[in-house]
Amino acid sequence: GRQVRSEVAQVFELGYRGQPLPGLSYSATLFHNDYDHLRTQEIDPTYTFLTFGSLMEGRATGIEMWGSYQLSRAWRLSGGFTALHERLRLKAGSNDAAGPGTAGKDPEHTLQLRSNYAFDERRELEVALRKVAALENPGVPGYWTVDARFGWRLRPNLELSVVGQNLNGSHGEYGPVATRLELERRVGVKLV
């Protein structure tokens, strides 16, 4: 309809990237986003149907940090952290009661640690630990997960891998409890 406008974001970022040692690199980025004309669902004045509008605005502020360290020729550690603070609000004239609740659909922080180890030119092991904060709307508990992969290069163009995901157990990532899908522990073999 005519009341729908393109969503607009003004994005401000300030970052730094460095490599103080040959095997150590890192980066950090501060960001602030101002949003306008975000989508809303408005109840028609006759209360008989919904229409789309652009009557929400808001802000998101946060930081992203990543780093990598090559401990030896065979072993590399890397990690990252993201923190996010969102604040959305309806503009005057909106009657979309659910709109600002979309702010709770993104985790306030995530953390990831990863280890890559090459036993030799043909065999490697990757292990990853990931933490995701709880969600507010709908309420989803935060979780930790462990993933692993052992790869074996059988020939230059053929690799066999054993992959494990969510090795520490299942967890939900999003959605209301009644319809939430749990991501379960999975182990598989892959040939590429």
Side-chain angles (χ1 to χ4, degrees):
R2 289 186 197 130
Q3 65 275 25
V4 176
R5 298 180 59 181
S6 295
E7 295 182 344
V8 176
Q10 292 183 350
V11 178
F12 305 92
E13 293 185 357
L14 177 64
Y16 182 79
R17 186 180 316 178
Q19 186 174 2
L21 302 170
L24 176 65
S25 61
Y26 60 89
S27 67
T29 304
L30 294 169
F31 61 89
H32 176 82
N33 303 333
D34 287 324
Y35 302 110
D36 200 4
H37 311 300
L38 297 177
R39 184 181 56 89
T40 56
Q41 295 180 35
E42 306 297 331
I43 300 172
D44 182 80
T46 64
Y47 295 98
T48 55
F49 58 91
L50 292 175
T51 61
F52 290 108
S54 298
L55 296 173
M56 189 165 40
E57 60 188 0
R59 296 179 170 180
T61 303
I63 186 170
E64 288 185 352
M65 298 182 293
W66 299 95
S68 179
Y69 183 56
Q70 192 77 36
L71 281 98
S72 68
R73 290 186 78 191
W75 193 14
R76 182 176 70 239
L77 296 176
S78 57
F81 176 77
T82 303
L84 173 67
H85 179 70
E86 288 181 312
R87 194 65 89 204
L88 302 180
R89 62 194 158 278
L90 295 173
K91 294 181 177 183
S94 176
N95 59 21
D96 183 354
T102 59
K105 295 189 185 296
D106 296 312
E108 289 185 357
H109 66 269
T110 60
L111 172 69
Q112 180 175 324
L113 301 171
R114 183 176 298 272
S115 172
N116 296 63
Y117 187 82
F119 296 98
D120 52 38
E121 292 183 11
R122 299 178 67 188
R123 298 172 300 146
E124 64 185 6
L125 176 65
E126 298 177 38
V127 178
L129 174 67
R130 185 169 45 108
K131 181 195 184 302
V132 177
L135 300 180
E136 293 176 25
N137 182 28
V140 177
Y143 62 89
W144 287 87
T145 186
V146 177
D147 300 335
R149 177 188 158 276
F150 178 77
W152 184 15
R153 243 173 248 99
L154 303 172
R155 294 196 315 229
N157 60 350
L158 185 64
E159 181 179 277
L160 176 67
S161 298
V162 177
V163 179
Q165 296 176 314
N166 304 315
L167 294 174
N168 57 322
S170 64
H171 65 273
E173 287 193 357
Y174 55 88
V177 173
T179 58
R180 183 177 304 148
L181 194 62
E182 291 284 317
L183 298 178
E184 298 178 351
R185 180 181 298 124
R186 296 190 310 182
V187 176
V189 177
K190 188 162 72 167
L191 188 62
V192 178

